[in-house]
Amino acid sequence: MTLRLYDTATREVRDFVPLEEGRAGVYVCGLTVQSEPHVGHVRSGVNFDVLQRWLRHSGYEVTFIRNVTDIDDKILAKAEAQGRPWYAHAAVMKRELDRAYAALNVAPPTYEPAATGHVPEMVELIETLIEKGHAYAAEDGSGDVYFDVRSWPAYGELTSQRIDDMEAAEDADPRGKRDPRDFALWKGRKPAEPATASWPSPWGRGRPGWHIECSAMAGKYLGSAFDIHGGGVDLRFPHHENEQAQSRAAGHPFASYWLHNAWITTAGEKMSKSLGNSLTIPSVLERFRGIELRFYLVAAHYRSHVEFSFEALEESAAGFGRIEGFLDRVGGAAEVEKGALPQAFADAMDDDLGTPAAVAVLYDAVREGNRLLQAGDAAAAREQAGAVRTMLDVLGLDPADPAWSTGSRDAGRADALTTAVDVLVRGLLDQRAEARAAKDFAAADAIRDRIKAAGVEVEDTPDGPRWSLGNTGSTV
RNA sequence: GGUGGGUUGGCCGAGAGGCGAGGCAACGGACUGCAAAUCCGUCUACACGGGUUCAAAUCCCGUACCCACCUCCA
């Protein structure tokens, strides 16, 4: 089976046929670095990270671009509210975003272009659009440049909408637009805005519109035609529709496939910066490990709406614990040699990144491995573990991946702490072993209870007792 | 008004005409001094009303409810 992907533009699952054999160019809309990232933002990062990993695993040489929008109205507003330059605010938020991605083992893209670093490319693209008659400078002297929606008959094709059916934005500030649906390619500088937030252009100082950023950056790093463009569903319109219109009107074929990940909502409402109900990554990470959050996100299909809850995350983490438990029992994930990927897993992934079915295959292998372990067939169990580790690795969930520890600044201390606890717990377990040998079970159980009260679970195995941090996780 | 999506067992969450996804929880059994962990088993669901079909959770028609986008948004 070959990879098949659901293309939003055609609304069907299609075979993935790259423009150039063996290579895949992917552009994903990153974030506007204006506030702390929340679970929803990171879902997109994780979903497309899985796509990237699967493409790589399938043998593609992948160029993966994820941009950063580091200048926009909200950044300017928030920076001003906090009394610091907009670029300082953007830089701080960018760092938060990087931490969040690292905490969830989202691999860095091949390039991560920032909008402010590509203004000349944007100006050039706008000039091309004006030359071709698809854009015009506002006649009201604002310095704005708009895309002429009526000049591009295909406008609306990505989201199958007709211009005449679209609601004209209420705030459609006419500002010299020929049609209220025309959108800004370039925004002339407003007197109240800081001088540093504007760049010179043929139309006077100003800054780029949001949509043109992605068109220019995708073109620069992936060429005028590329394979996959991704982002969240909300971006379909207007952002992606506009990107496609601009790029095609300028003569570039642009993306062959459009992939959109669905939302994560909380209490039925979408997580949004403006609603302020965000579940920021740092706050979730106080209660769950990054690998658990990633597993929770990967276990749902990327096109399915997820209703976030800590209860569901808790259940998911419990399930992941069973996978980790198996790897531990077999000698520790790091000691397991990665094996071949089960065909059923590959088939699931090839089917529009069917991670739920893939995870089911993962659990089948874990159960079989545990069964073999119980039957005393350690060699066969290790083989299953090898498959398990490979599957986890493809999903970015390999517990032995150093990314999980280096992401934390406290990793070194945590290791030291584990060693210290190990020595202490082992001392107690030795006492318990003596008590058990003497059939003094009351004393043995008392010791186990003391250990458990400290949050450490003990399990007896044929090779002696093992301890682990119990599910102290959160009681919600 | 236009566009797109959803409603699945106690819960989470797949599937998309026949074949019990998977996970969590619960219960029973095996194992254990007792636990824990693990394995085996039980729990046979697809919003509602029609229709098509030998066969429908899946296709068609209708109804209800929910959500997203059309404005900054992953």
Side-chain angles (χ1 to χ4, degrees), chain A residues 76-339:
Chain A
L76 291 174
K78 294 209 172 178
E80 198 187 339
Q82 295 181 16
R84 57 182 168 187
W86 62 272
Y87 45 84
H89 180 73
V92 169
M93 290 306 151
K94 172 66 169 61
R95 207 168 297 142
E96 286 298 322
L97 179 61
D98 287 344
R99 279 199 192 116
Y101 282 143
L104 294 213
N105 195 18
V106 171
T110 312
Y111 305 113
E112 191 171 22
T116 54
H118 299 76
V119 175
E121 287 86 343
M122 298 173 204
V123 168
E124 208 171 305
L125 184 55
I126 296 169
E127 285 180 312
T128 303
L129 286 168
I130 292 178
E131 278 164 30
K132 296 194 176 232
H134 294 299
Y136 58 93
E139 285 156 19
D140 60 0
S142 60
D144 290 353
V145 179
Y146 298 108
F147 183 85
D148 185 350
V149 159
R150 298 271 174 192
S151 76
W152 187 246
Y155 189 72
E157 64 179 342
L158 181 65
T159 47
S160 52
Q161 300 184 90
R162 296 183 321 162
I163 293 181
D164 294 323
D165 287 336
M166 294 178 195
E167 274 180 1
E170 284 171 19
D171 63 338
D173 178 0
R175 295 198 319 234
K177 285 187 185 178
R178 291 179 188 167
D179 184 290
R181 280 147 289 221
D182 288 350
F183 55 90
L185 299 171
W186 185 260
K187 298 175 159 185
R189 189 195 156 197
K190 296 188 184 73
E193 290 176 359
T196 51
S198 66
W199 289 259
S201 85
W203 318 284
R205 290 193 73 86
R207 58 191 167 92
W210 176 39
H211 314 299
I212 200 74
E213 297 174 7
C214 290
S215 284
M217 292 188 279
K220 173 166 179 176
Y221 295 100
L222 295 172
S224 99
F226 58 95
D227 300 298
I228 299 170
H229 191 129
V233 271
D234 58 315
L235 260 32
R236 283 186 329 228
F237 193 91
H239 188 52
H240 290 338
E241 187 72 68
N242 291 356
E243 273 185 54
Q244 187 172 76
Q246 290 160 352
S247 290
R248 292 199 172 160
H252 307 301
F254 215 53
S256 310
Y257 298 82
W258 287 89
L259 266 58
H260 294 279
N261 65 276
W263 288 101
I264 284 200
T265 56
T266 3
E269 287 185 275
K270 80 181 189 181
M271 285 181 200
S272 107
K273 296 164 188 168
S274 36
L275 281 177
N277 62 352
S278 326
L279 280 159
T280 64
I281 297 304
S283 66
V284 174
L285 291 180
E286 280 175 17
R287 301 171 66 174
F288 290 90
R289 293 178 295 149
I291 200 168
E292 291 168 336
L293 178 55
R294 182 176 175 114
F295 180 71
Y296 173 67
L297 295 173
V298 164
H301 188 87
Y302 77 93
R303 283 195 288 121
S304 291
H305 165 237
V306 169
E307 170 72 23
F308 180 90
S309 74
F310 279 106
E311 289 85 348
L313 177 50
E314 182 95 49
E315 286 180 4
S316 178
F320 190 69
R322 200 149 73 77
I323 299 171
E324 290 184 301
F326 168 58
L327 291 175
D328 282 347
R329 235 166 278 129
V330 122
E335 304 305 315
V336 170
E337 199 175 320
K338 287 180 193 165

Side-chain angles (χ1 to χ4, degrees), chain A residues 410-425 467 469:
Chain A
D410 301 326
R413 285 188 59 79
D415 282 351
L417 209 55
T418 304
T419 307
V421 171
D422 187 58
V423 170
L424 296 172
V425 172
W467 69 267
L469 278 181

